[in-house]
Structure formats: structure tokens, C-alpha cells
Amino acid sequence: MRRKGSTLIQLRKRIPKDVLGKAKGVTLAIPVGDEVLHVVVGDKAVEITCSLRTRDPRESKVRQAVAVAYLDGVWKSLREGPKRLTQKQIAALAGEAYRGLVSSFEDDPGSPETWRQIVQLQANAMAGDEAERERWFGPSVDQTLAKHRLVVDRDSRCALVGAVGVSVSLASVRLAQNAGGDYSPDTVVSRYPALTLPDNNLPRSTSGGSVRTFDDLFNAWKRSDNHSASTLSTWRGYLNRFKTFVDHDDPQNVTKADALRWKDALLAEGRQKISTTYLASIRRLYAYSVENAEITGITENPFAEVKAKQKAKAGSSRLPFTRADVTTILAAARNEALPHLRWIPWIQAASGARVGEIAQLWGSMVIVENGVHCLHITPAPDGGSLKNEGSERTIPIHPDIIADGFLDYVKTRNGGPLFYGGAKARPSVRRNDEQKHPSKGVSNRLGAWVRNLGITDPRKAPNHSWRHWVKTELPRNGISDRITDLLQGHTSQNDADDYFHGTVEDMLVAIKTLDLNAAANGLWPAR
């Protein structure tokens, strides 16, 4: 859902009735993208609501699955009741608080005096009564317990508050040393043991279940929905890459440490968007298996909290084509004999449609609506897919394209694929559901052709920059963003947009402001 006044997609999850009373006052640490959102369940709360921190419907599904898997683990812990922690488990959890505080500030710790003052305040709190220690260190304990979906008894909590008080005080001493320039080896961190969670925290199964290999892990998720061939191919590639990295074929034997090491290796390779590609895909595979643990045997997601913090680099964002680029491409396309080179650039220039949407068009998708010749952009009959639900739409064909003979060409394809399938316009016959649709090859060849025209700026995607150009050009011609979004298949950004219903006539008026013939001849009007 989307919250009123926000363009970000929200998660709403009802608290199960059987744990509603037990959930009051519990602190949740909900994993969302690169963040962990700390949410305290209020006395009157009946559901959990939080932002998924994205506008992308596809990414929101990945984040939703991870968050729901986390919440289900919390409800399980609440049903089983408070658990007693051993002394070793308390020490391990206190160690997590130590490492968390140090890692947050060690790169840029500020002044030594500030940390020395904090150490003194913490010492005073430790010397105070139970309420004072709870006030100072209780929030850190809540975060640590929430991270592991732990519900502990009162004695365990009191002991953990004391242990965390000591550990964060030692962390503050360490940060005071860092602030003074001392980064010698940390002799304190080794005192804390590795964490072994109690039974209520969904320990990893080592036997039973249908998931025994990485192929099992992938296929379990694959059967859960109708995924596109491109997604299946890409995600299996990510999983195979991880399998090679860990050098074994047992998904039950993957730890958070393995996931962290792989993240660091990808960063060292200079990979971009690691969190939303490599990590997000495998996180989703494990999340699905955890949600269906009774069948899969997978009860823990080692990727649940592994993120790669990567800031976008200045000068790396996508750019639209310039007017010179548009003239170069359209003029060259008009002289091409191959249909995909001749027509797809012109259709993209007149619509800003995604290249995959156009490359998979069939003659049967060229229709007439209210007397206007249109393209009905929908999944291809032979398995071509669209990005999301909002991508399915009907858009008008630009008059300049019709005048150049596009409709005559469509008739030669007898209702079949326009840009693949050979001279007889044969549908795709794929060997398996992970073989990419042939329209993908059309898109790739078109992109290579554009690059060969001399448009080599890496910030200009040879196919996708048409979307940026149309999104930029139409508003300059007085066309509203709503019409532009409708034409390009962009999802609505707020609730008010859902009440707007544009027509193909509205879109035709908009695209007529793009004089493609003049553009192809370099005859641009002065701005």
C-alpha cells in the first residue's frame, strides 16, 4: 500500500490475535533494504505499519518478504514464551552491542574528550539502581534482542542489561582511543564468544526438508510464482556465483559470515548496486524457504541483515539523449532495412516505451481504438513479459511513423512477432522457462547498433535513454506529467493520480508535439 502524502510503498501486517497481548511494548528490528527500522509495539496496536523505503514495486516485494519472515519469527518467539539465556549467550549478546557501537563511530569518532565524558556518565549509570541502568542501557538491549527475535525472562534481561552496560562502556573507551589516533589491535573484542541462539530462535535445520542443494533452494522459490525468464536467468546466475564462492553445495550450511564475506568480495570487485541485486536475490530465495520451513527445512535466512552501503557516485546517473543524439539515431534508423533497427527507435522516440515492450510486439497488438491506431502493450503470447502491472497499456502510434509505412510493414507479419521469428514471424519456442525471450536478443542488437553510431557516453543507455528524453521533452512542450506517465507506463505516485484516467486521444495530442520528421532532419525549433 501507499500511505497518503507519501510516494513510498508501505508494509502493513496484522499482529496475530494469539500474540496480541504479548506483543505490547516489544521492540521490533524490522529489516528494510539497507536499514533496520526499530518499532515499538504500542498498547493499542493491532498491526505493524512501516515504510519499505522504496517506490519500486518489484523491490518492495523483496523487502516485504524479508520483513514478514522476520515478523513471523517474532510471533513464534512470543508464542513460546520468555526464554532463559545462559551466561555465554549473555556475553555473546553484549559483544554484539560492543561491536555495533565501535563499528558505528570508529571511522570518524570525533574528540577524545567527548568519549571520556560518555564513559563517566556510563560509569555513574552502572553505579545506580536497576531503573537507572535500564534507562541508560535498556534501548541497546531492546535492539539486540529484537535483532534476534528473542523474548527473554526477567532475570536474563537484568543480567543482559548489566553486561551490555559494561560492553558499551568498554566500547566508549575504545572510541576515545580511536579519537586520539590510536587504532592498535582491539584486545577487548576477543573476550566475547560467538552467539549460539536458544531453540526458540529458529535454529538452522541440518536434516529433513526438500532443500538439500542450491538448485533445490532456487527451484523451491521458482515454483512459487510465475517469474519472468529474465529474472530466473539472472537470479540463478547470482546463486551460482555465490555457490562458487563458498565452494560447497549445501544451502543449510551457509552462515551470516559467509554472506558478509561475499558482500565484501563483491565490493572489492567494484560491483555496483550490490544490495538490490546480488544480495537481494539470494535474501529472497532464503526468505521464501524460511516462510515455508515445514516443507523446505530451511529455518534461518543468513542474508536477512546483510547489506552493502554504497553511495551513488557523482556523475553516474542516467542522462537523456541530446537533440544531436536523437537526430543521429532517427536519421540512421530511417535508412535501415532490418525492421528492428528501422522501427523500434522511432517508436521509442514517440513514446518513451521500454525497449523490451516494443521488441516483443506482435502484429495482433497493433489495434485501432476510438479511430486511433495504437499499440496494445501487453505480455507477448509466446511468453514475453512486462516489468509490472502498470506497464500494460494502450498507446497511440505517432502519425510520422504511420506516414513512413509502419502499418504496411505490420500487415506483412500476419499478426505474429514484428521484430523476431524470421521471415515467417514464428512465435518463440523455448527449451525451458529460464531461456530468455528472443526479444531480449533484439534489444541487445539494437543497443550495439546505437553504440556503433558514435553514442558512447556510458551515462546514456543506448535503449533506455529514450525514456529519459521523452520524460524531459514532453513537459517542455506543455504536456502534463500525468499524461507522460500514462504514455510511458509509470505507476502513479500518489493516491490522487489513481483518479485520473487519460485517453489515447490525450496521448495522441501529446506525442504530436514531438516532430519526429524535423528531428530526423536536425530541424529543431528554438527553445
Side-chain angles (χ1 to χ4, degrees):
M1 60 162 289
R2 281 187 171 87
R3 181 170 56 84
K4 187 176 181 180
S6 174
T7 61
L8 298 175
I9 299 173
Q10 308 285 311
L11 166 71
R12 288 180 63 184
K13 178 72 172 175
R14 184 171 291 277
I15 303 172
K17 288 184 178 180
D18 63 316
V19 299
L20 196 56
K22 300 175 183 178
K24 308 301 183 185
V26 170
T27 298
L28 304 172
I30 304 174
V32 176
D34 291 332
E35 305 176 56
V36 174
L37 303 183
H38 296 285
V39 177
V40 179
V41 182
D43 291 340
K44 298 181 180 181
V46 295
E47 66 181 21
I48 304 301
T49 304
C50 69
S51 171
L52 290 174
R53 305 296 176 91
T54 182
R55 298 175 178 83
D56 184 347
R58 183 173 296 183
E59 173 64 14
S60 73
K61 290 180 181 179
V62 175
R63 296 185 179 193
Q64 177 189 16
V66 173
V68 168
Y70 165 79
L71 291 172
D72 287 344
V74 174
W75 309 148
K76 184 178 187 298
S77 294
L78 291 172
R79 290 186 183 102
E80 295 181 349
K83 299 295 180 180
R84 176 185 173 275
L85 295 175
T86 65
Q87 180 176 334
K88 185 176 181 180
Q89 289 163 349
I90 290 170
L93 290 168
E96 288 200 359
Y98 176 91
R99 286 187 288 270
L101 182 57
V102 170
S103 64
S104 296
F105 293 98
E106 63 182 344
D107 287 347
D108 206 359
S111 73
E113 183 57 34
T114 298
W115 287 107
R116 283 193 284 267
Q117 291 175 2
I118 292 173
V119 170
Q120 184 58 55
L121 292 171
Q122 291 168 334
N124 294 340
M126 287 295 292
D129 57 18
E130 182 180 324
E132 182 71 3
R133 289 192 294 275
E134 178 67 34
R135 184 172 71 85
W136 265 82
F137 309 114
S140 294
V141 169
D142 286 335
Q143 291 181 17
T144 303
L145 293 175
K147 174 183 175 182
H148 296 289
R149 293 164 264 182
L150 285 170
V151 179
V152 301
D153 61 26
R154 188 176 185 282
D155 289 344
S156 295
R157 181 182 176 84
C158 289
L160 184 58
V161 168
V164 167
V166 171
S167 71
V168 297
S169 298
L170 291 172
S172 298
V173 171
R174 172 65 181 177
L175 289 167
Q177 295 171 346
N178 293 161
D182 180 359
Y183 284 89
S184 56
D186 190 339
T187 59
V188 173
V189 70
S190 60
R191 67 184 283 177
Y192 294 110
L195 178 62
T196 302
L197 295 174
D199 291 342
N200 69 303
N201 200 49
L202 304 175
R204 182 181 290 102
S205 171
T206 56
S207 63
S210 62
V211 173
R212 302 296 184 88
T213 68
F214 284 111
D215 278 345
D216 292 340
L217 177 70
F218 184 84
N219 291 331
W221 165 80
K222 176 180 171 179
R223 291 189 294 269
S224 68
D225 203 351
N226 184 26
H227 308 288
S228 72
S230 179
T231 298
L232 292 173
S233 175
T234 302
W235 284 30
R236 188 181 285 279
Y238 292 152
L239 186 62
N240 286 339
R241 188 185 183 94
F242 177 69
K243 174 182 171 180
T244 300
F245 177 81
V246 294
D247 196 25
H248 64 73
D249 195 19
D250 183 2
Q252 302 265 11
N253 195 33
V254 172
T255 66
K256 182 179 179 180
D258 293 326
L260 288 168
R261 288 191 301 107
W262 193 47
K263 176 216 41 173
D264 291 340
L266 293 170
L267 287 170
E269 292 176 16
R271 300 284 172 176
Q272 299 298 313
K273 299 182 179 180
I274 292 171
S275 280
T276 57
T277 53
Y278 298 91
L279 300 180
S281 59
I282 302 183
R283 185 184 306 123
R284 180 66 190 106
L285 301 182
Y286 271 100
Y288 172 80
S289 293
V290 170
E291 292 163 18
N292 298 272
E294 292 83 0
I295 298 172
T296 65
I298 295 281
T299 55
E300 185 175 343
N301 186 345
F303 283 81
E305 298 173 2
V306 177
K307 310 293 188 300
K309 295 182 179 179
Q310 293 177 289
K311 293 182 179 180
K313 295 180 180 179
S316 62
S317 60
R318 289 294 186 194
L319 294 176
F321 290 132
T322 64
R323 286 186 164 188
D325 296 332
V326 171
T327 296
T328 297
I329 297 170
L330 295 186
R334 184 169 256 167
N335 292 320
E336 286 289 345
L338 294 175
H340 67 287
L341 303 182
R342 171 63 187 91
W343 298 114
I344 293 179
W346 279 70
I347 295 172
Q348 284 195 273
S351 65
R354 299 176 181 91
V355 66
E357 298 170 341
I358 307 305
Q360 69 176 19
L361 282 174
W362 281 39
S364 58
M365 299 178 191
V366 180
I367 64 173
V368 177
E369 182 172 308
N370 297 336
V372 179
H373 289 285
C374 297
L375 302 175
H376 181 47
I377 296 178
T378 188
D382 58 356
S385 61
L386 299 180
K387 181 176 181 180
N388 52 48
E389 182 181 0
S391 299
E392 186 165 357
R393 62 201 187 279
T394 299
I395 62 174
I397 304 173
H398 197 288
D400 291 349
I401 297 175
I402 294 174
D404 275 5
F406 176 68
L407 297 180
D408 294 330
Y409 166 69
V410 171
K411 291 177 183 177
T412 69
R413 304 299 286 178
N414 298 315
L418 296 183
F419 304 116
Y420 61 90
K424 295 184 179 180
R426 294 188 181 91
S428 166
V429 179
R430 289 180 285 170
R431 295 186 300 275
N432 59 67
D433 55 5
E434 292 182 39
Q435 181 181 347
K436 293 184 179 180
H437 194 264
S439 60
K440 182 65 176 177
V442 173
S443 302
N444 291 340
R445 291 192 294 274
L446 180 62
W449 174 79
V450 171
R451 289 295 191 218
N452 286 335
L453 295 177
I455 301 172
T456 56
D457 185 340
R459 296 179 65 184
K460 296 176 184 176
N463 293 324
H464 199 73
S465 281
W466 283 119
R467 288 178 68 74
H468 292 263
W469 182 73
V470 172
K471 186 73 170 179
T472 303
E473 199 71 16
L474 285 181
R476 288 173 175 165
N477 296 342
I479 305 303
S480 71
D481 285 341
R482 286 181 174 179
I483 291 294
T484 306
D485 288 343
L486 190 65
L487 184 68
Q488 294 191 291
H490 280 136
T491 54
S492 61
Q493 297 298 305
N494 54 58
D495 292 339
D497 285 348
D498 294 334
Y499 291 90
F500 175 74
H501 301 281
T503 66
V504 293
E505 293 91 341
D506 296 328
M507 288 184 276
L508 182 59
V509 170
I511 65 174
K512 280 183 176 179
T513 67
L514 300 170
D515 190 338
L516 300 187
N517 280 326
N521 293 316
L523 302 176
W524 293 94
R527 287 187 180 137

